[in-house]
Amino acid sequence: DTEVTQTPKHLVMGMTNKKSLKCEQHMGHRAMYWYKQKAKKPPELMFVYSYEKLSINESVPSRFSPECPNSSLLNLHLHALQPEDSALYLCASSQNNEKLFFGSGTQLSVL
Amino acid sequence: QKEVEQNSGPLSVPEGAIASLNCTYSDRGSQSFFWYRQYSGKSPELIMSIYSNGDKEDGRFTAQLNKASQYVSLLIRDSQPSDSATYLCAPRYGNNRLAFGKGNQVVVIP
């Protein structure tokens, strides 16, 4: 299994909603990442988990809250988002912090 | 801030021709370099990795690295319409982050 699976593929939420994005990999990778990508821009790193511990937070607003329940799962909890948070949210994993393998992403729209 | 420069203007190539994509980077300490392909509305897909100076070939793709000049390139031979995508250059730097360039958009004209 060489896939990173993300759910849902699409999400529309209001500014007062709470939602969660989910990511799963079964490649035995010990690093997992959240990226945000706006249209026609490169991916921007948000968070990195290494061995289930948060190792990098790129000064992301607290309305985004990551969670790594185990080595295969990564969640991103969303609360009180703004319309400018609308973007493609990408999960990725890697072994030994080398090649990143991306999931198919969640296209998020905040109304 | 780690700088990665890619010519962002669309590159139009006829089908069967060679597409040449260039990338320069600012961090002399970078040792690992990756090229990702991203179709519109899809996620990035790793197509090449290169770690040593010189050329690395994989099918129709060739990556070239020159660390002294801080330059990495990607050649796509026998370009196909399915190669039409944005190609992201991504050097890895000291604290295990990837620095993505803005991407080169390639359009292969049948």
Side-chain angles (χ1 to χ4, degrees), chain A residues 6 10 15 41 62 84 88 98 100:
Chain A
Q6 286 187 247
H10 302 275
M15 289 188 285
K41 300 289 187 182
S62 60
E84 59 264 29
L88 179 67
E98 281 297 323
L100 288 187

Side-chain angles (χ1 to χ4, degrees), chain B residues 2 10 15-16 19-20 33 42 56 70 73 79:
Chain B
K2 306 301 181 185
E15 184 174 355
S20 178
F33 304 85
K42 303 294 186 183
K56 178 182 178 182
Q70 295 174 244
S73 66
S79 295

Side-chain angles (χ1 to χ4, degrees), chain A residues 37 42 56 58 97-98 100 103, chain B residues 36 38 43 51 92 97 101:
Chain A
Q37 187 176 26
I56 295 175
E58 292 284 48
N97 292 313
E98 281 297 323
L100 288 187
Chain B
Y36 286 84
Q38 188 171 24
S43 62
Y51 306 96
R92 176 173 297 285
R97 288 172 168 83

